[in-house]
């Protein structure tokens, strides 16, 4: 679409669009590197990632055009500003590739939920591999029409050249279905700790329903966060850059493009082969504890240096699972340097300051169970938490009096404290730094509601066209409505497609609601029916504020602990439904309402950037979870059956990988919140400080905001307290290695290379991100197929796989 603004209007239509000042999206680069001065207002700045391999439409447009100027510069330098509405979408190739990539991804993602550290099934791998397979299918499939029985419809096995929109939809389907599922936590807990296996049909319907609820809740925020061009959604922008690159390469391959692909495949092969060492043959590479090598029998040196049960001081790892560790929420290749610095600072405080203070300084007053998240007795023994539940799912007061009050290690206590603080900090941070932007986006939504008969992407264009012969009137009309109407080019292009009607979201929610209410009403899932309604309400309440945080910072806030605390508060006085599993059931409902809403919004943003029909995107997302959930369940049952002794702690995993750390933490929280109850719990001396975390979390953003206003050049606004508190909430008792290695790697990739080797970084950063994660996941799959699918084959012990301690930390206390 060519620019329609003449020279007279160019001098007036200086619409600006910028990211929120509170959350810079990328690392600031020096003027010498970016080649931009204050006078040129960024219009001549160096091109963004992969731009040397992408024809940039923005170069052909007038940046003063109101349709262009509202799009942030970093977006319009990546996203195509033109569309071909004739490209195919939901084809036979799409369905075939979706099946091929969703099934292994769903299986691997469920395996990850039982591991201490992991690298996710990479969506970048799907994005790159599906493109090659799609091109191959377009060459080999016959162009034959197939008639569908009973409905008198036909489809083509090969409708023509491989379409970029097919490619996008395959990737979105994999992002929806090739993931884990929060419902596996309560279902696995019931099996592992209480020997009660939930009926497969009930489990699968529940797993599908919580995903569908989150997707339905995306309707709450899409009006505010999705179509507003100022919110870039960085993961979506990164994937869009790669989509655009691949599309151009498919049409006109360049030497640079061919070199990028060779790098991808060689790195993928290298990581796949390398990971056999730390994951199987040479587990010493998991954690290189140099202090243990110097003093292998010194308890103090062992605790300081160990990364598998100690502080991890100056500990290095060469296992990509530990370096990437997506539990931290800040990907090395994709997150800005400032967010990685904040996360590392929280790690330093937790592991290198608080842990020695608790170990040798008496912090917390309870000297036992420092490095475990299991519930303990007063003398440090393992608390028999299952004894506190009667066969009628009520609290066993007699067993509680016999065993005494429940105690937690000090490390796990401050993890809970920081988790509470991160929750209140998220709302407070938004109130101080983001309220104005959300308010402006809401005004646009209200303006659309006041124009019946127009879709979400329709704005003031009809008035614009009717007055196009009057430049003066055009300017004043669009200037009047600019802040309340979306008139950017991307929204204009999407008017070619039918919007997803609201009743589709309502129908999706209704299906999930009926299924879950039926399961809960039959008392299969341990919670009262009315708490399900509260879970829906609390889940809906966080979609917009936490979606805003993710849209501007690429950080996803975990909210499970607060949900379980709230559930415990509601049921602590009931005579029934006091199973600790209930807290996890409630948390999976309320949590997935946000997590899945975020996934849907992010993928819909990709569809928005790539001009894919909205209804096709919606279908691909629902199709993905419908296909992936049964695979999630199958993988979960296989892991439980094959690794039960490791997961329950009956046998220690020497590599500290199959620890079921998240399940253990969920069980402990369920016991303390549901069986004991918040009222009784917070009366114990050990737990009294925890409620004050909400005040700390709420107050800290205000302090940062004040400092930012007083000293605007000091960049206090980069010290996001929500990310800091969330990093402090990570439990490092099983694995503290990887964080120092990640910090070093992040410095090289996101600071040094980005600032001083920018062209090299732009060519290969996203390629390497895809190759590393894809190589790790391929290695996991191969290890499973070769060493664990039929008969478990263990690695013989040798110097690099020491049976006593893979780190050589022989004096490390359990």
């Amino acid at each position: 679409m060519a620019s329609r603004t003449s020279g007279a209007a160019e001098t007036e239509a200086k619409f600006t669009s910028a990211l929120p000042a509170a959350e810079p999206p990328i690392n600031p680069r020096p003027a010498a590197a970016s080649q931009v001065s204050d006078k040129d207002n960024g219009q001549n700045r160096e091109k963004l990632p992969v731009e040397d391999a992408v024809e940039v439409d923005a170069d052909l447009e007038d940046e003063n055009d109101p349709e262009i100027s509202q799009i942030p510069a970093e977006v319009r330098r990546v996203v195509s500003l033109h569309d071909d509405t004739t490209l195919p979408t939901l084809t036979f190739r799409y369905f075939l590739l979706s099946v091929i990539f969703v099934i292994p991804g769903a299986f691997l993602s469920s395996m990850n939920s039982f591991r201490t550290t992991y690298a996710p099934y990479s969506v970048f791998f799907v994005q790159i591999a599906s493109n090659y397979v799609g091109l191959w299918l377009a060459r080999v499939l016959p162009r034959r029409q197939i008639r569908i029985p009973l409905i008198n419809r036909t489809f083509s096995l090969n409708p023509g050249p491989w379409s970029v929109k097919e490619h996008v939809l395959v990737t979105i389907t994999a992002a929806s279905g090739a993931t884990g599922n929060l419902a596996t936590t309560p279902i696995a807990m019931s099996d592992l700790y209480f020997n009660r296996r939930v009926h497969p049909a009930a489990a699968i319907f529940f797993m599908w329903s919580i995903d569908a609820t989150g997707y339905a809740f995306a309707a709450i925020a899409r009006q505010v966060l999705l179509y507003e061009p100022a919110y870039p959604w960085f993961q979506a922008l990164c994937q869009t850059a790669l989509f655009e690159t691949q599309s151009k390469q498919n049409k006109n391959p360049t030497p640079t493009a061919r070199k990028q692909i060779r790098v991808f495949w060689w790195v993928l092969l290298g990581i796949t082969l390398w990971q056999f060492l730390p994951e199987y043959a040479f587990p010493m590479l998991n954690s290189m504890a140099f202090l243990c090598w110097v003093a292998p029998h010194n308890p103090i040196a062992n605790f300081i240096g160990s990364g598998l049960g100690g502080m991890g001081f100056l500990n290095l790892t060469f296992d990509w699972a530990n370096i990437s560790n997506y539990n931290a929420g800040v990907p090395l290749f994709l997150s800005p340097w400032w967010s990685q610095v904040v996360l590392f600072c929280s790690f330093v405080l937790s592991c290198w300051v608080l842990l020695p203070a608790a170990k040798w300084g008496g912090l917390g007053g309870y000297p036992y169970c420092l490095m475990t998240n299991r519930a303990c007795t007063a003398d440090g023994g393992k608390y028999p938490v299952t004894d506190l539940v009667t066969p009628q799912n009520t609290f066993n007061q007699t067993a509680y009096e016999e065993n005494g009050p429940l105690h937690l290690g000090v490390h796990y206590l401050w993890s809970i404290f920081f988790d509470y603080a991160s929750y209140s900090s998220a709302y407070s941070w938004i109130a101080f730094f983001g309220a104005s932007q959300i308010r402006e986006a809401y005004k646009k939504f209200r303006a659309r509601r006041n124009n019946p008969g127009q879709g979400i992407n329709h704005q003031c264009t009809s008035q614009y066209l009717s007055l196009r012969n009057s430049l003066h009137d055009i300017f004043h009309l669009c200037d009047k409505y600019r802040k309340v109407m979306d008139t950017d080019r991307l929204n204009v292009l999407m008017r070619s497609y039918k919007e997803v009607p609201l009743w589709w979201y309502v129908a999706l929610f209704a299906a999930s609601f009926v299924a879950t209410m039926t399961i809960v009403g039959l008392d299969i899932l341990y919670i009262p029916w009315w708490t399900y309604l509260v879970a829906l309400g609390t889940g809906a309440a966080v979609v917009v504020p936490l979606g805003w945080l993710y849209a501007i910072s690429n950080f996803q806030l975990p909210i499970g602990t607060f949900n379980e605390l709230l559930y415990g508060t509601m049921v602590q006085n009931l005579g029934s439904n006091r199973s600790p599993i209930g807290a996890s059931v409630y948390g999976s409902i309320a949590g997935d309402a946000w997590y899945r809403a975020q996934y849907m919004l992010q993928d819909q943003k990709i569809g928005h950037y790539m001009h894919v029909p909205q209804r096709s995107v919606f279908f691909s997302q629902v199709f993905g979870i419908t296909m992936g959930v049964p695979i999630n369940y199958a993988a979960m049952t296989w892991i439980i059956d094959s690794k039960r002794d490791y997961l329950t702690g009956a046998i220690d995993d020497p590599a500290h990988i199959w620890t079921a750390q998240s399940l253990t933490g969920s069980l402990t929280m369920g016991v303390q919140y549901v069986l004991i109850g918040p009222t009784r719990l917070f009366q114990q001396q050990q737990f009294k400080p925890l409620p004050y975390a909400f005040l700390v979390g709420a107050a800290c953003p205000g302090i940062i905001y004040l400092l930012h206003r007083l000293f605007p050049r000091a960049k206090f606004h980069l010290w996001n307290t929500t990310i800091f508190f969330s990093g402090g909430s990570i439990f490092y008792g099983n694995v503290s290695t990887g964080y120092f290695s990640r910090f070093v790697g992040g410095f090289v990739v996101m600071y040094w290379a980005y600032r001083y080797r920018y062209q090299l970084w732009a060519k290969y950063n996203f390629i390497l991100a895809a190759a590393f994660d894809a190589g790790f996941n391929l290695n996991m799959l191969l290890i499973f197929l070769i060493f664990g699918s039929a008969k478990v084959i263990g690695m013989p012990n040798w110097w690099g796989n020491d049976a006593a301690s893979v780190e050589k930390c022989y004096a490390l206390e359990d």
Side-chain angles (χ1 to χ4, degrees):
M1 184 179 298
S3 174
R4 298 176 299 209
T5 308
S6 69
E10 290 176 9
T11 59
E12 295 181 309
K14 296 184 179 295
F15 298 161
T16 59
S17 179
L19 291 169
E23 300 288 351
I26 55 178
N27 312 312
R29 301 173 58 220
S34 61
Q35 298 176 356
V36 58
S37 66
D38 294 335
K39 294 181 180 180
D40 60 40
N41 198 27
Q43 295 180 9
N44 298 318
R45 70 179 58 179
E46 187 180 351
K47 295 181 178 181
L48 288 187
V50 303
E51 192 175 318
D52 61 330
V54 180
E55 179 184 353
V56 182
D57 290 349
D59 290 336
L60 307 177
E61 299 287 346
D62 177 10
E63 294 191 357
N64 289 323
D65 185 337
E67 285 190 0
I68 306 300
S69 61
Q70 295 182 66
I71 304 173
E74 59 272 13
V75 174
R76 64 176 180 256
R77 303 298 296 181
V78 169
V79 177
S80 173
L81 301 176
H82 303 86
D83 182 28
D84 181 356
T85 60
T86 65
L87 295 177
T89 52
L90 300 176
T91 63
F92 171 76
R93 295 180 304 218
Y94 156 76
F95 285 101
L96 178 61
L97 291 179
S98 294
V99 172
I100 291 174
F101 287 102
V102 165
I103 291 176
F107 191 89
L108 289 168
S109 296
S110 285
M111 289 177 61
N112 286 337
S113 62
F114 295 90
R115 293 171 54 94
T116 308
T117 59
Y118 67 94
Y121 182 70
S122 174
V123 69
F124 286 104
F125 165 71
V126 175
Q127 187 171 339
I128 291 175
S130 64
N131 183 52
Y132 288 102
V133 181
L135 291 170
W136 177 73
L137 290 176
R139 289 196 301 268
V140 301
L141 284 177
R143 298 198 175 190
R144 180 185 306 166
Q145 293 291 323
I146 304 297
R147 184 172 298 277
I148 304 175
L150 303 179
I151 63 173
N152 196 29
R153 296 286 297 273
T154 63
F155 67 90
S156 174
L157 291 178
N158 191 347
W162 173 241
S163 160
V164 66
K165 296 189 180 183
E166 291 176 277
H167 185 198
V168 171
L169 290 172
V170 169
T171 306
I172 289 176
T173 302
S176 301
T179 61
N181 189 289
L182 283 184
T184 59
T185 298
I187 295 170
M189 285 171 58
S190 179
D191 194 343
L192 277 174
Y193 303 122
F194 297 92
N195 295 314
R196 301 173 187 172
R197 179 158 287 188
V198 178
H199 191 280
I204 290 173
F205 272 108
F206 178 62
M207 293 166 69
W208 182 87
S209 295
I210 65 171
D211 284 355
T213 299
Y215 280 2
F217 278 9
I220 299 172
R222 65 196 290 266
Q223 302 274 3
V224 177
L225 299 178
L226 183 61
Y227 297 100
E228 169 55 57
Y231 300 133
W233 293 80
F234 296 111
Q235 175 80 14
L237 189 60
C238 289
Q239 288 185 246
T240 300
L242 190 54
F243 277 126
E244 293 287 356
T245 300
Q246 292 172 300
S247 177
K248 301 299 182 184
Q249 291 169 2
N250 293 343
K251 297 175 183 177
N252 184 25
T254 64
T256 298
R258 286 191 288 267
K259 186 175 181 180
Q260 287 176 311
I261 297 308
R262 285 199 301 271
V263 168
F264 169 80
W265 287 112
W266 279 111
V267 172
L268 184 147
L269 177 62
I271 293 296
T272 301
L273 297 177
W274 170 262
Q275 283 296 129
F276 276 105
L277 295 178
E279 289 288 328
Y280 186 75
F282 195 179
M284 185 179 180
L285 296 173
N286 274 308
S287 177
M288 308 290 283
F290 302 111
L291 291 180
C292 291
W293 301 356
V294 175
H297 299 284
N298 185 311
I300 296 178
N302 282 195
F303 183 79
I304 295 175
S306 173
L308 303 177
M311 292 167 48
F313 183 72
L314 300 181
N315 185 294
L316 294 176
T317 180
F318 295 96
D319 184 351
W320 181 245
N322 292 335
I323 297 173
S324 63
N325 191 5
Y326 275 62
N327 284 322
V330 181
L332 186 152
F333 284 103
L334 300 180
S335 296
W337 171 240
W338 63 266
S339 64
Q340 298 193 41
V341 171
V342 173
L343 181 71
F344 183 71
C345 288
S346 67
F347 163 76
V348 170
L349 174 66
S350 186
C351 283
W352 296 357
V353 177
L354 295 181
L355 273 182
K359 179 76 172 179
W360 298 296
L363 177 67
Y366 181 69
Y368 308 109
C369 304
L370 178 62
M371 304 304 285
T372 180
N373 59 348
R374 300 181 186 273
C376 299
T377 59
D379 59 357
K382 183 179 178 180
Y383 202 99
V385 293
T386 56
D387 294 346
L388 300 181
V389 188
T390 67
Q392 294 76 33
N393 283 332
T394 59
F395 179 54
N396 191 334
Q397 181 68 35
T398 303
Y400 181 73
E401 292 174 353
E402 290 176 356
N403 291 286
L406 177 147
H407 289 76
L408 298 181
V410 178
H411 179 11
Y412 192 46
L413 275 177
W414 77 61
S415 297
I416 297 173
F417 182 93
F418 285 129
D419 193 71
Y420 291 170
S422 69
Y423 190 84
S424 58
S425 171
Y427 288 95
S428 181
W429 190 274
I430 291 169
F432 283 104
F433 290 98
S436 61
Q437 284 123 13
I438 293 179
R439 187 164 51 247
E440 290 300 321
Y442 180 72
K443 287 180 180 179
K444 292 185 177 183
F445 164 60
R446 291 295 300 271
R448 289 191 292 266
R449 291 288 301 271
N450 293 332
N451 287 270
Q454 295 184 349
I456 192 172
N457 304 106
H458 285 76
Q459 290 82 28
C460 62
T461 302
S462 59
Q463 295 97 321
Y464 175 91
L465 293 176
S466 66
L467 296 173
R468 60 185 174 183
N469 293 324
S470 173
L471 296 178
H472 181 78
D473 290 340
I474 290 173
F475 169 73
H476 284 287
L477 177 65
C478 288
D479 186 56
K480 177 180 178 181
Y481 289 107
R482 178 179 62 84
K483 292 184 179 180
V484 295
M485 303 292 269
D486 295 319
T487 56
D488 63 277
R489 175 70 61 81
L490 299 179
N491 274 298
V492 171
L493 291 175
M494 295 305 291
R495 297 175 195 169
S496 301
Y497 309 105
K498 292 183 179 180
E499 181 55 58
V500 178
L502 181 61
W503 73 265
W504 285 23
Y505 289 94
V506 174
L508 187 64
F509 174 76
S512 65
F513 181 83
V514 170
T516 306
M517 278 297 289
T518 301
I519 296 170
V520 171
L522 294 174
D523 201 25
I524 297 175
L525 289 177
Y526 309 101
I527 66 172
W529 66 269
W530 54 271
T531 60
Y532 169 56
L533 304 180
V534 179
L536 294 177
T538 55
V542 303
V543 170
V544 171
L546 297 189
W548 175 85
L549 178 64
Y550 186 83
I552 65 169
S553 68
N554 202 46
F555 176 77
Q556 185 187 69
L557 177 69
I559 58 175
T561 304
F562 175 80
N563 286 327
E564 293 171 355
L565 170 64
L566 180 60
Y567 177 79
T569 303
M570 292 188 291
V571 303
Q572 62 181 340
N573 295 321
L574 297 182
S576 59
N577 293 111
R578 297 287 298 278
S579 170
I581 303 173
S584 184
V585 173
Y586 179 92
S588 66
I589 297 170
D592 232 20
W594 145 238
Y595 297 133
R596 284 290 170 172
Q598 174 246 301
Y599 293 148
M600 179 171 243
L601 290 168
Q602 175 175 276
D603 291 340
Q604 287 184 347
K605 190 69 173 184
I606 296 174
H608 186 71
Y609 282 153
M610 297 301 301
H611 323 307
V612 180
Q614 297 93 320
R615 296 187 178 191
S616 297
V617 173
F618 182 92
F619 171 83
S620 69
Q621 293 174 304
V622 177
F623 177 62
I625 62 170
T626 304
M627 182 169 39
V629 161
I631 308 301
N632 291 145
Y633 178 79
M636 177 196 71
T637 55
W638 177 81
I639 291 294
I640 291 174
D641 292 340
S642 63
K643 298 188 179 294
R644 180 180 293 270
D645 289 340
Y646 283 156
L647 300 176
T648 58
I651 300 176
D652 288 333
D653 179 7
H656 290 238
I657 295 299
W658 298 104
T659 62
Q661 175 175 294
S662 63
L663 292 182
T664 302
S666 295
L667 177 64
T668 301
M669 284 191 291
V671 169
Q672 65 190 35
Y673 293 145
V674 179
L675 292 179
I676 300 174
T679 300
R680 181 183 307 182
L681 187 73
F682 292 142
Q683 288 175 351
Q684 291 181 219
Q685 185 64 34
Q686 189 185 35
F687 294 91
K688 283 184 177 180
L690 293 184
Y692 293 99
F694 292 105
L695 297 177
V696 173
C700 285
I703 298 173
I704 297 295
Y705 182 76
L706 180 61
L707 291 172
H708 173 59
R709 296 299 299 269
L710 292 175
F711 310 102
R713 301 185 63 180
K715 299 184 179 181
F716 281 104
H717 59 287
L718 297 180
W719 290 96
N720 190 301
T721 56
T722 304
I723 297 177
F724 181 84
F725 290 141
S726 185
S729 71
I730 298 173
F731 179 72
Y732 302 98
N734 287 312
V735 174
S736 57
T737 188
Y739 294 90
F740 183 61
S741 299
R742 171 208 281 280
F743 182 72
V744 174
F747 174 82
V748 173
V749 174
M750 299 303 293
Y751 181 81
W752 179 81
Y754 183 86
R755 280 176 173 251
Y756 304 113
R757 296 293 184 273
Y758 181 70
Q759 293 299 330
L760 189 67
W761 182 93
K763 287 181 183 179
Y764 297 112
N765 184 63
F766 301 143
I767 299 295
L768 292 176
F772 270 73
D773 286 349
F776 171 81
N777 280 284
L778 180 58
N779 174 267
M780 279 188 61
L781 184 60
L782 292 175
I783 288 177
F784 161 70
L785 293 174
I786 299 170
F787 303 112
S789 59
K791 180 182 178 181
V792 177
I793 304 173
M795 178 67 192
N797 295 120
W798 64 289
W799 181 81
N801 184 26
D802 196 321
S805 172
V806 296
E807 297 181 289
K808 313 299 182 184
C809 299
Y810 301 114
L812 184 66
E813 299 175 359
D814 293 333

